[in-house]
Amino acid sequence: MVFSLAFATRFMSIGILGKKLGMSQIFDTEGKAIPVTVIQAGPCRVTQVKTTEVDGYIAVQVGFGETREKLVNKPARGHLAKSGDGLLRHLREYRVGNTDAVELGAAITVEHFMAGQEVDVSGNSIGRGFAGYQKRHGFSRGPMSHGSKNHREPGSTGAGTTPGRVYPGKRMAGRYGGKRVTVRKLTVIKVDPERHLLVVKGSVPGKPGALLSIQPTRTVGS
């Protein structure tokens, strides 16, 4: 299918959901290796069109990933039935300027993206559990010589009597990863509409199989 700029403009601010397949590399015309991430994006379905009059703001909700009926409650089944057949596992909203050209039940596919375009990819980073100062924040360790008791300790965490407490936000050991992360301005290297694949330059959050949200990078003033 030939990419239509006019057709894609209708969904310029609307993103697409997908799952991370893994990383690879491709070679450009000069023989340089380019690290890429392969994403199976879409097809997604427009499940709701929100307007200022009804919802108080303008947005488009899309759904992705089929699921079993027993995993979807009755209100959700009724909501999804309005946009067509099939139960969807994931729903996401995207704010848009207007929804005049967006139809309920319309399909969002990788054909709305093109090579060379910049996108923002959001997902949950890999959770690493409880981690110490060196792994979580990159702190330098103490001396490893005989007699040292400060190999991987944090050092001072604040003054004594005044203020007599640790300030909020102090970088300390704790839960590492498992947070919402957005990697901005990744270049689309290749689009494969037949297999619903999107190949972007660089790495994206999460493990293979993780849910991702891919949205065109907005320029200043858009």
Side-chain angles (χ1 to χ4, degrees):
M1 178 178 180
V2 179
F3 183 86
S4 172
L5 183 60
F7 181 66
T9 303
R10 296 166 50 193
F11 301 98
M12 185 172 295
S13 300
I14 302 177
I16 189 171
L17 298 177
K19 63 179 180 179
K20 178 179 178 179
L21 297 183
M23 291 198 69
S24 182
Q25 64 178 4
I26 61 176
F27 296 90
D28 61 10
T29 55
E30 299 179 355
K32 297 180 180 179
I34 302 175
V36 297
T37 302
V38 182
I39 304 172
Q40 184 179 0
C44 296
R45 189 174 79 223
V46 177
T47 55
Q48 187 178 7
V49 179
K50 296 194 172 184
T51 60
T52 306
E53 295 76 16
V54 177
D55 305 284
Y57 63 98
I58 302 175
V60 174
Q61 183 189 83
V62 302
F64 168 74
E66 295 183 357
T67 187
R68 293 175 292 171
E69 185 176 357
K70 64 178 293 185
L71 300 178
V72 182
N73 58 29
K74 190 173 181 180
R77 289 199 297 267
H79 172 69
L80 293 172
K82 298 176 183 178
S83 59
D85 298 329
L87 300 177
L88 301 174
R89 183 177 181 181
H90 305 287
L91 298 177
R92 289 291 186 278
E93 282 188 8
Y94 296 97
R95 293 290 187 102
V96 295
N98 64 79
T99 58
D100 297 338
V102 183
E103 299 178 358
L104 190 66
I108 308 294
T109 67
V110 294
E111 292 177 333
H112 302 129
F113 297 85
M114 57 182 174
Q117 179 182 6
E118 289 187 339
V119 295
D120 298 339
V121 182
S122 301
N124 290 332
S125 61
I126 298 175
R128 294 175 172 84
F130 190 94
Y133 304 89
Q134 283 72 28
K135 183 175 181 179
R136 192 183 190 206
H137 301 295
F139 283 8
S140 298
R141 59 170 174 77
M144 301 300 290
S145 58
H146 178 71
S148 172
K149 298 181 180 180
N150 184 29
H151 298 320
R152 297 176 67 89
E153 293 183 1
S156 174
T157 58
T161 304
T162 304
R165 63 189 179 94
V166 178
Y167 283 125
K170 177 68 177 177
R171 292 183 298 170
M172 303 183 73
R175 187 173 180 177
Y176 179 36
K179 295 182 178 181
R180 186 76 170 174
V181 177
T182 299
V183 182
R184 304 188 185 279
K185 295 186 177 182
L186 295 179
T187 304
V188 177
I189 301 298
K190 183 179 179 181
V191 178
D192 188 344
E194 295 183 359
R195 295 185 292 177
H196 305 290
L197 296 181
L198 202 62
V199 181
V200 299
K201 182 179 180 180
S203 61
V204 301
K207 295 181 178 180
L211 179 68
L212 298 173
S213 172
I214 305 98
Q215 190 173 9
T217 299
R218 294 190 178 186
T219 57
V220 178
S222 63

